[in-house]
Amino acid sequence: MTKVPSVIHWFRLDLRIHDNLALRNAINEAENRKHHLKPIYFLDPDIKDKIGINRLRFLIQSLQDLNSNLKKLNSRLYCIRGNAINYLPKLFEDWQVKFLTCQVDIDPIYVEQDEVIEKIAEEKDIFIVKRVQHTVYDYNNVLKKNNGSVPMTYQKFLSLVQDVPVKECIEITKPISDDCKSKDGDLKKYDVPTLEEFQIDESNLEPLKYPGGETEGVKRLHMYMGRREWVCKFEKPNSSPNSIEPSTTVLSPYISHGCLSAKLFYHKLKEAENGMPHSDPPVSLLGQLMWREFYYTAGAGTKNFDKMVGNPVCTQIPWGKNDEHLKAWAEGKTGYPFVDAIMRQLKQEGWIHHLARHMVACFLTRGDLWISWEEGAKVFEGYLLDYDWSLNAGNWTWLSASAFFYKFFRVYSPIAFGKKTDKEGLYIRKYVPELKKYPTAFIYEPWKAPKSIQTTAGCVVGVDYPKRIVDHDKIHKENCTKMSTAYKLNKERKAMKRPFPID
DNA sequence: CTACCGGTTGACCAA
DNA sequence: GTTGGTCAACCGGTA
């Protein structure tokens, strides 16, 4: 008896059914050839050491939701404990795989993995279909349109995509043929794990603010897109980094995990804007989506985009090393309440407002601590639910004035910046509760409070809350000088590399 | 080639 | 309260 061959769809950063062309291709192939359909996901047992617990929880919920959505389509998710390079070749044999589909992901982890897998598949005569479907536009086409080089400004990027039509979303609603089901469909070993399997006791975790999954992501999208007035008036710089409830949509974790299609977001935004006066990029909601597209294009077209050394668009800056300061920053113990509140919200909830990211990124790098943006990017990678390789690297280079942005003397003040949208310091009181009882006059600068007030408020600086690890007023000026020097050196180096003009 | 424009979102001070 | 200049400024893009 010969085994029925299989078609694999390999889920990675596309944890959804809707608008998933690669999945559609796999289903069609399986049905046409009466092969078994195997939707798979590789979950590395070591993943707990690689991503934060909040993100792991979001991922597992997304996988559980994906499995239940696949079941509605008369299929299931095969969640495989292990990494792809070790397990896929075995599955190729065991399942008699003839055809594999997946989404194109540009995070180097996936790129390297794909190279190995593609080689093995070629030897075994397995046909691979990869689809660019994580973005609205195909960044390869954008790069081509720009003569193979990366558009270095947002405006240039917009001009390149202006007339590019955006494809309609793919819908998958018809249940998959029984012919495509295999007998191992009931095996428990392929079930999506619970957090317990990772020795995580969920009752110890903070309550969940943003549950993972396609169902939740799509629901959230419809909820926000229904508020047409709000969508059309949206201007990012006018939203607040320190409101108690998010002032923006928090669709980002769903988009980064692929629970929500960026293309669906695009079409729904266009629908909401249609026939109404509305704000425009860069500040509009559509503009936010286009920033993502911009960074994806830059990430796809730039070598070592997530590093300083060897990154052709990144200014080389002699960052210092200070593990104590880095740790204080990451744990929200810098002694600057606004910075600490942001970092603690990040750690607790896995999401902070974009402008809050500006504040703490500037503080870590060019503003105060003079620590490499790569270190900050690593911390964000652990904590952010919406971690995305391209966006993380792009935004960190921006904020550290290493690429795209050059006005390094525009430094965010850890005292003044937050006051603009939260005079009373309610945000600080929530996330740095030891300062809860401080008078408003000192909530951003507790070290200035007289000892008697500190005692009355039940929080003495240096005892119950850390002293400032740096003096912002002094250090940010010194750092500006360092930035200026680094820029000059960079300019000289660039000039040296340029060939002499020919007479 | 040169010259100029403009860039998602700073802080501070003076008027 | 608002506006405009200043501060340590670059560089892609276009005419």
Side-chain angles (χ1 to χ4, degrees):
Chain A
M1 194 182 103
T2 52
K3 263 188 170 176
V4 179
S6 297
V7 173
I8 284 181
H9 174 72
W10 178 11
F11 283 103
R12 287 130 46 127
L13 297 177
D14 58 325
L15 305 180
R16 65 172 182 276
I17 307 293
H18 75 274
D19 198 32
N20 195 332
L21 179 57
L23 175 63
R24 169 85 273 169
N25 295 149
I27 294 171
N28 286 354
E29 189 69 18
E31 289 193 325
N32 289 344
R33 295 177 185 274
K34 295 197 190 319
H35 288 182
H36 288 159
L37 178 72
K38 301 283 180 103
I40 64 170
Y41 186 87
F42 287 105
L43 195 57
D44 196 328
D46 296 336
I47 194 166
K48 197 180 153 189
D49 308 326
K50 292 172 186 161
I51 66 177
I53 283 176
N54 272 331
R55 186 139 69 90
L56 178 59
R57 176 163 56 164
F58 189 96
L59 173 64
I60 284 177
Q61 290 173 336
S62 299
L63 294 173
Q64 284 162 347
D65 187 54
L66 181 62
N67 184 43
S68 83
N69 289 342
L70 281 167
K71 280 186 171 166
K72 286 176 199 156
L73 291 174
N74 197 28
S75 185
R76 69 161 295 176
L77 184 67
Y78 292 76
C79 189
I80 295 152
R81 281 88 169 145
N83 76 54
I85 290 184
N86 293 340
Y87 274 77
L88 255 184
K90 190 173 140 41
L91 292 183
F92 286 165
E93 290 301 322
D94 292 354
W95 289 351
Q96 289 294 298
V97 176
K98 301 287 179 215
F99 199 86
L100 181 147
T101 69
C102 65
Q103 161 175 296
V104 177
D105 293 305
I106 64 170
D107 181 325
I109 291 172
Y110 291 106
V111 173
E112 285 163 25
Q113 212 174 52
D114 284 6
E115 279 171 17
V116 178
I117 300 296
E118 278 166 36
K119 216 175 153 196
I120 295 167
E122 200 180 329
E123 284 162 11
K124 296 186 190 271
D125 234 8
I126 297 165
F127 197 76
I128 296 187
V129 169
K130 294 174 80 175
R131 297 290 183 184
V132 175
Q133 55 180 27
H134 201 41
T135 45
V136 175
Y137 300 102
D138 182 338
Y139 31 78
N140 296 316
N141 290 341
V142 179
L143 290 169
K144 225 178 277 170
K145 210 171 168 187
N146 199 39
N147 303 317
S149 66
V150 173
M152 291 304 290
T153 66
Y154 181 75
Q155 297 302 334
K156 178 68 183 172
F157 171 82
L158 285 185
S159 76
L160 289 167
V161 299
Q162 201 173 23
D163 302 320
V164 179
V166 176
K167 287 181 190 140
E168 286 306 314
C169 290
I170 312 266
E171 289 304 331
I172 302 173
T173 48
K174 210 181 98 208
I176 296 154
S177 157
D178 281 334
D179 296 337
C180 301
K181 282 179 106 168
S182 78
K183 274 179 286 176
D184 60 6
D186 300 324
L187 287 182
K188 283 258 180 282
K189 69 166 178 175
Y190 296 126
D191 282 356
V192 177
T194 58
L195 278 174
E196 280 164 19
E197 202 177 309
F198 292 94
Q199 282 90 48
I200 296 166
D201 183 1
E202 200 165 355
S203 60
N204 290 339
L205 299 181
E206 295 283 326
L208 190 68
K209 268 199 110 165
Y210 313 105
E214 172 178 20
T215 307
E216 183 67 28
V218 172
K219 195 172 99 189
R220 207 175 171 92
L221 174 76
H222 288 312
M223 197 267 281
Y224 276 99
M225 294 304 104
R227 296 162 57 182
R228 285 186 74 188
E229 186 98 358
W230 182 83
V231 170
C232 291
K233 283 190 174 152
F234 185 93
E235 289 186 11
K236 189 60 163 280
N238 294 339
S239 59
S240 164
N242 47 4
S243 50
I244 298 299
E245 286 308 312
S247 57
T248 51
T249 64
V250 198
L251 287 171
S252 52
Y254 302 93
I255 297 173
S256 68
H257 284 82
C259 299
L260 179 63
S261 151
K263 200 138 59 62
L264 180 62
F265 187 20
Y266 174 92
H267 287 303
K268 291 294 166 192
L269 271 173
K270 282 285 184 185
E271 250 173 56
E273 286 183 345
N274 190 32
M276 301 254 285
H278 58 79
S279 54
D280 283 304
V283 296
S284 65
L285 263 183
L286 187 66
Q288 306 314 298
L289 186 56
M290 292 301 111
W291 278 103
R292 180 173 185 271
E293 301 289 315
F294 170 67
Y295 284 130
Y296 256 88
T297 310
T302 309
K303 269 187 193 160
N304 300 310
F305 191 59
D306 59 346
K307 296 177 183 68
M308 179 179 82
V309 176
N311 177 346
V313 304
C314 186
T315 305
Q316 305 296 302
I317 297 165
W319 304 111
K321 194 172 153 60
N322 188 328
D323 289 341
E324 255 173 60
H325 282 180
L326 177 61
K327 197 171 169 234
W329 175 82
E331 292 179 354
K333 292 179 182 170
T334 65
Y336 283 94
F338 187 42
V339 173
D340 292 344
I342 294 168
M343 292 307 291
R344 293 187 198 184
Q345 185 191 17
L346 170 63
K347 206 172 163 181
Q348 273 173 41
E349 298 173 6
W351 181 89
I352 48 175
H353 186 277
H354 186 64
L355 292 178
R357 301 181 197 204
H358 280 212
M359 176 68 244
V360 295
C362 181
F363 189 87
L364 179 75
T365 58
R366 65 190 168 84
D368 297 78
L369 301 184
W370 199 254
I371 291 172
S372 169
W373 60 267
E374 288 178 55
E375 295 299 328
K378 277 183 219 159
V379 173
F380 271 27
E381 179 175 353
Y383 290 146
L384 278 174
L385 293 178
D386 62 19
Y387 167 72
D388 181 300
W389 181 80
S390 294
L391 276 64
N392 201 38
N395 278 310
W396 273 99
T397 53
W398 180 295
L399 258 300
S400 59
S402 303
F404 309 113
F405 171 84
Y406 308 95
K407 285 171 255 196
F408 59 75
F409 48 87
R410 288 194 174 179
V411 176
Y412 290 81
S413 158
I415 293 124
F417 188 62
K419 284 187 185 171
K420 281 194 279 193
T421 40
D422 179 21
K423 266 207 179 72
E424 309 285 320
L426 298 177
Y427 177 79
I428 292 170
R429 293 173 205 278
K430 175 170 181 187
Y431 292 101
V432 189
E434 57 265 47
L435 295 172
K436 199 158 59 183
K437 290 183 185 156
Y438 262 64
T440 298
F442 301 112
I443 190 72
Y444 282 87
E445 306 169 271
W447 60 88
K448 280 192 178 168
K451 264 276 147 61
S452 62
I453 290 182
Q454 294 189 21
T455 311
T456 315
C459 179
V460 175
V461 174
V463 180
D464 308 300
Y465 179 72
K467 282 185 179 158
R468 297 179 293 167
I469 57 170
V470 289
D471 179 347
H472 173 77
D473 285 339
K474 225 176 91 192
I475 203 120
H476 96 269
K477 283 179 187 152
E478 290 170 24
N479 288 345
C480 272
T481 312
K482 287 191 201 168
M483 284 300 287
S484 177
T485 312
Y487 268 36
K488 274 179 197 135
L489 263 170
N490 231 73
K491 215 171 170 179
E492 280 171 30
R493 265 188 228 138
K494 270 196 176 171
M496 302 240 298
K497 276 180 196 160
R498 205 168 286 158
F500 289 102
I502 300 155
D503 286 342

